[in-house]
């Protein structure tokens, strides 16, 4: 019987791609005097390529952008600091996020969150979405000293709730870090479908977050 539902953040609850595009557009306009020789389309496209869906930290992204586009008058540290402080203002949730969480709570499931990333940055994003109070446990890789797909990170959440792996389900979008990570930790896993991973096959998957409670009921 499922007692605990654990979530990933980026690409699962937070529509990171949409949020990133909004941020890039805004940052470009605010720093336009340094970027005027580059079109917004070219800058945005290259940023997204270098970002690699968030798996390349932004210090490297900005260093590469400054070098490739021969951007003068601004340091990568300035752009990185701007990213750290302002990305949160562009955070966009996936549709039906809060309706899904409310339904799970009404059914007495306990909720938690496990995400890779920088502690303060991820907490800022959670607060921007209004999510920090929904999860009694939030495990962020930087603070925990290890990252998904390490099963120890998943087991820390299970220990917190005092449940067995088979009593928990994990929902995430990354085939290795989330889906295989959760499975290797012994949990049921639901894949938040992402068309980027075209060839990935999952036993349980959702497009709409409201599908999650329906699938979890099948596990019980």
């Amino acid at each position: 019987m499922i007692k605990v539902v654990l979530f990933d953040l980026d690409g699962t609850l937070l529509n990171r791609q949409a949020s990133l595009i909004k941020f890039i557009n805004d940052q470009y306009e605010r720093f336009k005097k340094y970027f005027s020789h580059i079109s917004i389309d070219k800058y945005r496209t290259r940023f997204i390529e270098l970002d690699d869906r968030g798996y390349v930290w932004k210090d490297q992204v900005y260093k590469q952008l400054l070098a490739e586009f021969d951007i003068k008058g601004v340091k990568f540290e300035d752009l990185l600091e701007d990213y750290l402080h302002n990305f949160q203002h562009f955070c966009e949730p996936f549709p039906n996020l809060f309706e899904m969480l409310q339904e799970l709570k009404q059914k007495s499931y306990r909720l938690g969150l496990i995400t890779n990333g920088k502690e303060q940055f991820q907490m800022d994003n959670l607060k921007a979405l209004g999510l920090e109070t929904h999860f009694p446990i939030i495990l962020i890789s930087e603070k925990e000293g290890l990252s998904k797909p390490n099963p120890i990170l998943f087991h820390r959440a299970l220990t917190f709730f005092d449940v067995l792996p088979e009593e928990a389900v994990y929902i995430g979008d990354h085939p290795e870090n989330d889906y295989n990570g959760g499975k290797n930790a012994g949990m049921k896993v639901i894949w938040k479908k992402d068309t980027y991973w075209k060839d990935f096959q999952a036993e349980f998957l959702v497009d709409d977050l409201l599908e999650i409670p329906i699938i979890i009921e099948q596990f019980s």
Side-chain angles (χ1 to χ4, degrees):
M1 179 178 176
I2 299 298
K3 299 178 180 178
V4 169
V5 184
L6 303 170
F7 293 93
D8 169 52
L9 176 60
D10 297 329
T12 302
L13 305 180
L14 168 68
N15 188 337
R16 185 182 181 277
Q17 192 74 353
S19 304
L20 182 64
I21 289 170
K22 286 183 176 181
F23 168 77
I24 294 169
N25 291 342
D26 184 80
Q27 187 181 59
Y28 179 92
E29 288 299 322
R30 288 184 290 105
F31 286 82
K32 196 169 185 177
K33 66 179 179 180
Y34 307 110
F35 300 156
S36 57
H37 61 293
I38 319 156
S39 73
I40 177 60
D41 290 340
K42 185 178 290 187
Y43 181 82
R44 182 175 55 239
T45 297
R46 189 59 180 139
F47 192 117
I48 291 170
E49 290 173 351
L50 293 170
D51 174 71
D52 192 23
R53 303 178 69 79
Y55 289 96
V56 175
W57 187 233
K58 266 22 96 210
D59 58 350
Q60 297 304 313
V61 171
Y62 285 122
K63 285 178 184 179
Q64 190 68 24
L65 286 170
L66 293 181
E68 282 188 21
F69 292 127
D70 194 29
I71 297 170
K72 305 293 186 184
V74 64
K75 299 177 181 178
F76 83 86
E77 292 94 341
D78 299 326
L79 296 171
L80 176 61
E81 189 72 11
D82 182 74
Y83 173 81
L84 292 173
H85 283 93
N86 288 308
F87 180 86
Q88 60 187 295
H89 302 307
F90 301 90
C91 285
E92 182 176 311
F94 280 108
N96 300 318
L97 169 57
F98 294 99
E99 293 88 342
M100 178 270 296
L101 293 176
Q102 186 60 32
E103 186 171 344
L104 291 176
K105 287 180 178 180
Q106 287 175 349
K107 293 180 177 180
S108 299
Y109 293 112
R110 291 179 285 171
L111 309 180
L113 188 136
I114 306 172
T115 180
N116 287 346
K118 304 284 187 182
E119 181 185 4
Q120 188 59 56
F121 183 76
Q122 294 294 60
M123 284 304 303
D124 286 343
N125 293 342
L126 283 166
K127 290 175 181 177
L129 290 170
L131 285 176
E132 79 280 9
T133 60
H134 287 267
F135 304 106
I137 183 170
I138 297 171
L139 299 178
I140 302 174
S141 62
E142 183 184 55
K143 182 179 180 181
E144 299 302 316
L146 68 165
S147 303
K148 296 179 297 182
N150 192 321
I152 295 174
L153 191 56
F154 295 93
H155 288 156
R156 284 181 183 174
L158 300 178
T159 299
F160 174 85
F161 288 112
D162 192 24
V163 296
L164 298 171
E166 55 266 31
E167 295 176 310
V169 58
Y170 187 74
I171 298 105
D173 69 298
H174 194 282
E176 182 59 30
N177 293 342
D178 296 319
Y179 194 83
N180 291 338
K183 273 192 166 297
N184 290 336
M187 294 186 288
K188 295 282 190 182
V189 182
I190 299 171
W191 182 46
K192 173 63 171 65
K193 187 176 179 181
D194 186 333
T195 55
Y196 177 81
W197 309 103
K198 296 177 183 176
D199 299 324
F200 184 66
Q201 300 293 319
E203 184 179 4
F204 302 100
L205 61 89
V206 295
D207 270 324
D208 188 318
L209 294 179
L210 277 179
E211 299 172 82
I212 290 172
I214 298 171
I215 293 179
I216 292 176
E217 286 298 303
Q218 298 174 21
F219 298 152
S220 300

